[in-house]
Amino acid sequence: MSKLPDFEGLAMFAKVAEERSFAAAARAMGVSVATVSRAITRLEERLGGRLFNRTSRRLAMTDYGRTLAERASRIYADAEETEDFARKASSRPRGLVKLAAPLSFGARWVAPLLPEFFRRYPDIAVELHLTDAQADLIGGGFDAALRIAVMADSSLVARLIVAVRRFVVASPSYLARYGRPRHPRDLGTHRCLSYANRAKHDIWRFTHLKTTEECSITPTGQLRGTSVEALLPTVLEGLAITELPEFVATHYFPEKQLEPILTDWSLPEGGLYFVTPTARARPAKVSALADFLITELTDARWRADVVMGLKTTARHRKPA
């Protein structure tokens, strides 16, 4: 015999005692009469005594059953109260959300949004982890993540928020001193800074916007870094070229601190995604944060066509 109490049997016994009918109890609980009958029989065998005297026309509780009915009803009521509490807690946005985001994007575009989020949802706290390493949502216990990537098939649930372009950039002083590359092949003679945390060896793959010609180069330079922030000072000082995501690059375009180069060519376009381990039974606190961030980030103020009016082809337009 299982040491776990027969909670189902006790609940059905309490409901039959209340309704004074197997059929009425079955209707109230949304189960079949046979299910109720089996549960009562199983409980009687487990407890070692009859709870009801029953015939085809009449049902009567035994003295033994009456001694247990009040206790069983209390268990049933406690279970209903517990479920009601759990449903209310899961439907009300409150509690801690553990969120991962890319370092530069999180600092520049997510953190500034949080004050307004906290004003709207004072009962939600956010634990924001900023890293350019891809966080393990399940292993790290994260509720959600913002990712900028070309999403591969996985067990995670990913919602595309907006497309994100990448630009090869240089400062005007660099271009004045070393010349402007006209073709990706020209980058072989330039100092190009790259990222050390790419899943594969860092290769810049270009596609010409008109001819669809393709060209791949391996950047070589004096610095490799794990984040955009590590590369920017050297590039801004006019010592190298690098490629930057749109949400960083466009910040430096209006004042011409950096210029996009090879603008007739494109790099593979990724997207900004809101990612969760599963879409099923998502807590209200996570749904609230997801809806807020998606609304705020969909109209991307960093987009090049907004900031600079740069030419935007069909492949770069915001997805519907």
Side-chain angles (χ1 to χ4, degrees):
M1 178 187 298
S2 171
K3 294 182 179 180
L4 183 68
D6 186 355
F7 291 109
E8 181 186 62
L10 289 168
M12 291 191 175
F13 165 57
K15 204 63 178 175
V16 173
E18 177 187 340
E19 298 288 343
R20 300 181 182 279
S21 163
F22 276 39
R27 284 194 298 272
M29 292 184 290
V31 298
S32 67
V33 174
T35 298
V36 175
S37 180
R38 284 194 298 270
I40 298 300
T41 300
R42 184 182 68 243
L43 185 63
E44 288 176 332
E45 292 175 353
R46 181 185 179 95
L47 299 178
R50 291 185 65 81
L51 300 171
F52 298 99
N53 288 318
R54 47 196 183 275
T55 66
S56 59
R57 295 186 177 183
R58 187 169 180 272
L59 176 71
M61 198 181 307
T62 64
D63 289 340
Y64 178 63
R66 277 190 287 272
T67 64
L68 299 178
E70 183 178 348
R71 291 174 180 267
S73 295
R74 193 158 57 242
I75 292 172
Y76 190 96
D78 287 346
E80 284 188 318
E81 183 179 346
T82 300
E83 285 195 350
D84 286 343
F85 173 81
R87 277 193 292 267
K88 289 177 182 177
S90 66
S91 63
R92 184 170 62 239
R94 64 182 305 163
L96 176 67
V97 179
K98 190 174 179 182
L99 176 71
L103 176 59
S104 297
F105 183 81
R108 292 167 184 259
W109 295 100
V110 178
L113 296 175
L114 292 181
E116 175 59 26
F117 177 76
F118 294 140
R119 279 192 285 268
R120 296 187 194 181
Y121 299 98
D123 294 328
I124 299 180
V126 176
E127 186 175 309
L128 182 59
H129 291 248
L130 299 182
T131 174
D132 283 330
Q134 185 165 291
D136 179 356
L137 264 65
I138 297 174
F142 289 96
D143 296 294
L146 288 167
R147 286 187 178 168
I148 297 173
V150 178
M151 290 295 295
D153 291 339
S154 72
S155 60
L156 302 176
V157 178
R159 165 84 179 270
L160 176 63
I161 300 175
V162 67
V164 179
R165 299 167 65 182
R166 302 191 73 88
F167 290 93
V168 178
V169 300
S171 71
S173 62
Y174 180 93
L175 297 175
R177 183 175 182 181
Y178 298 104
R180 181 182 296 270
R182 301 298 178 183
H183 191 283
R185 287 191 299 269
D186 298 340
L187 294 175
T189 61
H190 287 265
R191 301 170 183 176
C192 298
L193 308 189
S194 59
Y195 297 93
N197 59 350
R198 290 278 166 83
K200 297 180 180 179
H201 188 61
D202 199 19
I203 299 175
W204 297 355
R205 294 180 170 86
F206 293 87
T207 302
H208 196 275
L209 294 176
K210 293 182 178 179
T211 67
T212 69
E213 176 191 353
E214 295 182 352
C215 181
S216 297
I217 68 106
T218 300
T220 56
Q222 294 173 288
L223 176 65
R224 299 188 75 214
T226 58
S227 73
V228 168
E229 310 304 328
L231 307 182
L232 271 172
T234 301
V235 178
L236 288 168
E237 284 294 320
L239 300 177
I241 291 171
T242 195
E243 56 107 349
L244 296 176
E246 190 170 10
F247 63 85
V248 174
T250 54
H251 175 78
Y252 299 97
F253 290 169
E255 302 299 324
K256 298 190 181 299
Q257 294 165 280
L258 295 175
E259 296 181 22
I261 60 176
L262 298 171
T263 54
D264 289 336
W265 299 77
S266 69
L267 291 165
E269 185 178 274
L272 171 64
Y273 294 85
F274 190 89
V275 183
T276 53
T278 176
R280 186 174 60 182
R282 178 186 290 175
K285 60 184 181 180
V286 177
S287 293
L289 183 59
D291 292 343
F292 175 81
L293 290 177
I294 290 169
T295 298
E296 293 296 322
L297 295 173
T298 295
D299 294 325
R301 294 186 295 277
W302 66 76
R303 290 184 66 82
D305 50 339
V306 174
V307 175
M308 294 291 290
L310 292 179
K311 182 179 179 180
T312 303
T313 64
R315 61 187 292 144
H316 293 140
R317 290 179 188 138
K318 188 169 75 175

